Amino acid sequence: CDVRDVQRLPASDYVCAGFPCVAFSRAGLQRGTKDRRGTQLFDETVRLLRTSPPRIGVVLENVPRLITWDNGSAHRHVCASLEALGFLVHYRVLNAADYGLPQQRKRLLYVAVRPGHAFDWPAPVPVEQRLVLETCATMMSKSAGVSLDNNEGMENSLLQNEEQASAGRGRR
């Protein structure tokens, strides 16, 4: 479905959206606001927010570089567009690893809420090494077609290797 053909969104408390980051990403052509792939989808998001406003708020996601692109003009445009729709805008760069995902992935999040609705950023959740290792062991055992119940040796081996590797660098 082409978003340009969508006239209204279903009634909702929140709308979550993202728009192409390739225009602002270091991995892309870095054309910024001159690249319609990102700006056109953002404009369509704003149009749909105007015709189908969520009751409480909006969550948008993109690359951190959007904040500084062209001296902050793209970032100011996002904030001003959401404010013009009556939202209070909060933004922050968060790292997925701080919230339980086993990868370093920084993303810029905008959380815009209606006046009268409180918003606080969630505190980071430290990931214990054990949980990451258990996840890796589970994934490896599934790909090998082996149950972890019968494969404690692999998990113990992973833990042993991690303990040996970290012995010289200390743990947090």
Short mmCIF file of all heavy atoms in Angstrom, two decimals, residues 102-130:
data_model
loop_
_atom_site.label_atom_id
_atom_site.label_comp_id
_atom_site.label_asym_id
_atom_site.label_seq_id
_atom_site.Cartn_x
_atom_site.Cartn_y
_atom_site.Cartn_z
N PRO A 102 21.14 -7.07 22.33
CA PRO A 102 22.56 -7.40 22.27
C PRO A 102 23.29 -6.77 21.08
O PRO A 102 23.96 -7.45 20.32
CB PRO A 102 22.56 -8.93 22.18
CG PRO A 102 21.28 -9.25 21.50
CD PRO A 102 20.29 -8.21 21.94
N GLN A 103 23.11 -5.46 20.89
CA GLN A 103 23.87 -4.76 19.85
C GLN A 103 23.96 -3.29 20.19
O GLN A 103 23.10 -2.74 20.87
CB GLN A 103 23.23 -4.94 18.48
CG GLN A 103 21.89 -4.25 18.31
CD GLN A 103 21.40 -4.28 16.88
OE1 GLN A 103 22.19 -4.15 15.95
NE2 GLN A 103 20.11 -4.45 16.69
N GLN A 104 25.03 -2.66 19.74
CA GLN A 104 25.19 -1.22 19.89
C GLN A 104 24.48 -0.56 18.71
O GLN A 104 24.92 -0.70 17.57
CB GLN A 104 26.69 -0.84 19.87
CG GLN A 104 27.49 -1.42 20.98
CD GLN A 104 27.18 -0.78 22.32
OE1 GLN A 104 26.82 0.40 22.40
NE2 GLN A 104 27.30 -1.55 23.38
N ARG A 105 23.37 0.10 18.96
CA ARG A 105 22.62 0.73 17.87
C ARG A 105 21.99 2.00 18.42
O ARG A 105 21.00 1.97 19.13
CB ARG A 105 21.55 -0.20 17.32
CG ARG A 105 20.83 0.40 16.13
CD ARG A 105 20.08 -0.70 15.37
NE ARG A 105 19.36 -0.19 14.25
CZ ARG A 105 19.85 0.00 13.04
NH1 ARG A 105 21.11 -0.27 12.80
NH2 ARG A 105 19.09 0.45 12.07
N LYS A 106 22.60 3.12 18.09
CA LYS A 106 22.08 4.41 18.55
C LYS A 106 21.02 4.92 17.59
O LYS A 106 21.22 4.89 16.38
CB LYS A 106 23.21 5.41 18.69
CG LYS A 106 24.17 5.05 19.79
CD LYS A 106 25.27 6.07 19.94
CE LYS A 106 26.20 5.63 21.05
NZ LYS A 106 27.33 6.54 21.19
N ARG A 107 19.91 5.37 18.17
CA ARG A 107 18.81 5.90 17.37
C ARG A 107 18.28 7.16 18.04
O ARG A 107 18.24 7.28 19.26
CB ARG A 107 17.66 4.88 17.26
CG ARG A 107 18.05 3.55 16.66
CD ARG A 107 18.69 3.65 15.32
NE ARG A 107 17.73 3.98 14.28
CZ ARG A 107 18.05 4.16 13.01
NH1 ARG A 107 19.31 4.06 12.62
NH2 ARG A 107 17.14 4.45 12.13
N LEU A 108 17.87 8.09 17.21
CA LEU A 108 17.23 9.31 17.67
C LEU A 108 15.74 9.03 17.79
O LEU A 108 15.11 8.58 16.83
CB LEU A 108 17.47 10.44 16.66
CG LEU A 108 16.65 11.71 16.83
CD1 LEU A 108 16.93 12.37 18.18
CD2 LEU A 108 16.94 12.67 15.68
N LEU A 109 15.19 9.25 18.97
CA LEU A 109 13.76 9.07 19.18
C LEU A 109 13.12 10.40 19.53
O LEU A 109 13.65 11.17 20.34
CB LEU A 109 13.49 8.07 20.31
CG LEU A 109 13.87 6.64 20.01
CD1 LEU A 109 13.68 5.76 21.24
CD2 LEU A 109 13.03 6.09 18.86
N TYR A 110 12.00 10.66 18.89
CA TYR A 110 11.15 11.79 19.24
C TYR A 110 9.90 11.20 19.89
O TYR A 110 9.29 10.29 19.33
CB TYR A 110 10.70 12.55 17.99
CG TYR A 110 11.79 13.28 17.26
CD1 TYR A 110 12.48 12.66 16.22
CD2 TYR A 110 12.13 14.58 17.59
CE1 TYR A 110 13.48 13.34 15.53
CE2 TYR A 110 13.12 15.26 16.91
CZ TYR A 110 13.79 14.64 15.87
OH TYR A 110 14.77 15.30 15.20
N VAL A 111 9.56 11.68 21.04
CA VAL A 111 8.30 11.31 21.69
C VAL A 111 7.56 12.61 21.90
O VAL A 111 8.02 13.50 22.62
CB VAL A 111 8.52 10.57 23.02
CG1 VAL A 111 7.17 10.26 23.68
CG2 VAL A 111 9.32 9.30 22.80
N ALA A 112 6.43 12.75 21.21
CA ALA A 112 5.64 13.97 21.28
C ALA A 112 4.29 13.61 21.91
O ALA A 112 3.62 12.69 21.45
CB ALA A 112 5.45 14.54 19.88
N VAL A 113 3.94 14.32 22.98
CA VAL A 113 2.70 14.02 23.69
C VAL A 113 1.81 15.26 23.77
O VAL A 113 2.29 16.40 23.69
CB VAL A 113 2.97 13.48 25.12
CG1 VAL A 113 3.68 12.14 25.06
CG2 VAL A 113 3.77 14.47 25.93
N ARG A 114 0.54 15.01 23.94
CA ARG A 114 -0.42 16.09 24.11
C ARG A 114 -0.20 16.74 25.48
O ARG A 114 0.19 16.07 26.44
CB ARG A 114 -1.85 15.55 24.05
CG ARG A 114 -2.19 14.92 22.72
CD ARG A 114 -2.80 15.94 21.81
NE ARG A 114 -3.11 15.32 20.52
CZ ARG A 114 -2.91 15.93 19.38
NH1 ARG A 114 -2.40 17.14 19.35
NH2 ARG A 114 -3.22 15.33 18.26
N PRO A 115 -0.46 18.04 25.59
CA PRO A 115 -0.40 18.68 26.91
C PRO A 115 -1.29 17.94 27.90
O PRO A 115 -2.38 17.46 27.54
CB PRO A 115 -0.92 20.09 26.64
CG PRO A 115 -0.62 20.33 25.19
CD PRO A 115 -0.82 18.98 24.53
N GLY A 116 -0.81 17.80 29.12
CA GLY A 116 -1.56 17.07 30.14
C GLY A 116 -1.16 15.62 30.26
O GLY A 116 -1.59 14.93 31.18
N HIS A 117 -0.37 15.13 29.33
CA HIS A 117 0.13 13.76 29.39
C HIS A 117 1.61 13.80 29.73
O HIS A 117 2.40 14.41 29.01
CB HIS A 117 -0.09 13.02 28.07
CG HIS A 117 -1.52 12.75 27.79
ND1 HIS A 117 -2.20 11.67 28.33
CD2 HIS A 117 -2.42 13.42 27.05
CE1 HIS A 117 -3.45 11.70 27.92
NE2 HIS A 117 -3.62 12.75 27.14
N ALA A 118 1.96 13.17 30.81
CA ALA A 118 3.35 13.16 31.26
C ALA A 118 4.17 12.17 30.44
O ALA A 118 3.65 11.18 29.94
CB ALA A 118 3.42 12.77 32.74
N PHE A 119 5.44 12.48 30.30
CA PHE A 119 6.36 11.55 29.66
C PHE A 119 7.72 11.65 30.34
O PHE A 119 8.24 12.74 30.55
CB PHE A 119 6.53 11.85 28.16
CG PHE A 119 7.58 10.98 27.54
CD1 PHE A 119 7.32 9.64 27.27
CD2 PHE A 119 8.86 11.46 27.29
CE1 PHE A 119 8.30 8.81 26.75
CE2 PHE A 119 9.84 10.64 26.77
CZ PHE A 119 9.56 9.31 26.49
N ASP A 120 8.28 10.50 30.67
CA ASP A 120 9.63 10.40 31.21
C ASP A 120 10.35 9.33 30.42
O ASP A 120 9.79 8.27 30.14
CB ASP A 120 9.62 10.01 32.69
CG ASP A 120 9.09 11.12 33.57
OD1 ASP A 120 9.48 12.28 33.37
OD2 ASP A 120 8.26 10.82 34.46
N TRP A 121 11.60 9.60 30.07
CA TRP A 121 12.40 8.59 29.37
C TRP A 121 12.64 7.42 30.30
O TRP A 121 12.92 7.61 31.48
CB TRP A 121 13.74 9.19 28.91
CG TRP A 121 13.57 10.21 27.85
CD1 TRP A 121 13.60 11.57 28.01
CD2 TRP A 121 13.32 9.98 26.47
NE1 TRP A 121 13.39 12.18 26.80
CE2 TRP A 121 13.21 11.23 25.84
CE3 TRP A 121 13.18 8.82 25.69
CZ2 TRP A 121 12.97 11.37 24.48
CZ3 TRP A 121 12.94 8.96 24.34
CH2 TRP A 121 12.85 10.22 23.74
N PRO A 122 12.55 6.21 29.79
CA PRO A 122 12.83 5.05 30.65
C PRO A 122 14.31 4.98 31.00
O PRO A 122 15.16 5.36 30.20
CB PRO A 122 12.41 3.85 29.79
CG PRO A 122 12.49 4.35 28.38
CD PRO A 122 12.18 5.82 28.43
N ALA A 123 14.58 4.50 32.20
CA ALA A 123 15.97 4.34 32.62
C ALA A 123 16.59 3.17 31.86
O ALA A 123 15.90 2.18 31.58
CB ALA A 123 16.03 4.08 34.13
N PRO A 124 17.86 3.26 31.52
CA PRO A 124 18.52 2.13 30.87
C PRO A 124 18.45 0.88 31.73
O PRO A 124 18.46 0.95 32.95
CB PRO A 124 19.97 2.59 30.72
CG PRO A 124 19.89 4.08 30.73
CD PRO A 124 18.75 4.41 31.65
N VAL A 125 18.36 -0.25 31.07
CA VAL A 125 18.29 -1.55 31.75
C VAL A 125 19.59 -2.27 31.46
O VAL A 125 19.83 -2.66 30.32
CB VAL A 125 17.10 -2.38 31.23
CG1 VAL A 125 17.05 -3.74 31.91
CG2 VAL A 125 15.80 -1.62 31.42
N PRO A 126 20.46 -2.45 32.45
CA PRO A 126 21.73 -3.12 32.17
C PRO A 126 21.49 -4.58 31.79
O PRO A 126 20.65 -5.26 32.36
CB PRO A 126 22.51 -3.02 33.47
CG PRO A 126 21.52 -2.65 34.52
CD PRO A 126 20.33 -2.05 33.85
N VAL A 127 22.22 -5.01 30.80
CA VAL A 127 22.12 -6.40 30.35
C VAL A 127 23.27 -7.18 30.98
O VAL A 127 24.43 -6.82 30.81
CB VAL A 127 22.23 -6.48 28.81
CG1 VAL A 127 22.16 -7.93 28.36
CG2 VAL A 127 21.13 -5.67 28.17
N GLU A 128 22.93 -8.21 31.70
CA GLU A 128 23.96 -9.05 32.29
C GLU A 128 24.59 -9.90 31.19
O GLU A 128 23.89 -10.36 30.29
CB GLU A 128 23.35 -9.96 33.37
CG GLU A 128 22.77 -9.20 34.54
CD GLU A 128 23.83 -8.43 35.32
OE1 GLU A 128 24.95 -8.95 35.45
OE2 GLU A 128 23.54 -7.32 35.75
N GLN A 129 25.87 -10.11 31.26
CA GLN A 129 26.57 -10.95 30.29
C GLN A 129 25.90 -12.31 30.16
O GLN A 129 25.77 -12.86 29.09
CB GLN A 129 28.03 -11.14 30.69
CG GLN A 129 28.87 -9.91 30.60
CD GLN A 129 29.26 -9.61 29.17
OE1 GLN A 129 29.22 -10.47 28.30
NE2 GLN A 129 29.62 -8.38 28.93
N ARG A 130 25.46 -12.84 31.27
CA ARG A 130 24.84 -14.17 31.30
C ARG A 130 23.63 -14.22 30.37
O ARG A 130 23.44 -15.19 29.64
CB ARG A 130 24.44 -14.49 32.74
CG ARG A 130 23.61 -15.71 32.90
CD ARG A 130 24.47 -16.88 33.21
NE ARG A 130 23.59 -18.03 33.43
CZ ARG A 130 23.94 -19.23 33.20
NH1 ARG A 130 25.15 -19.48 32.77
NH2 ARG A 130 23.12 -20.22 33.39
#
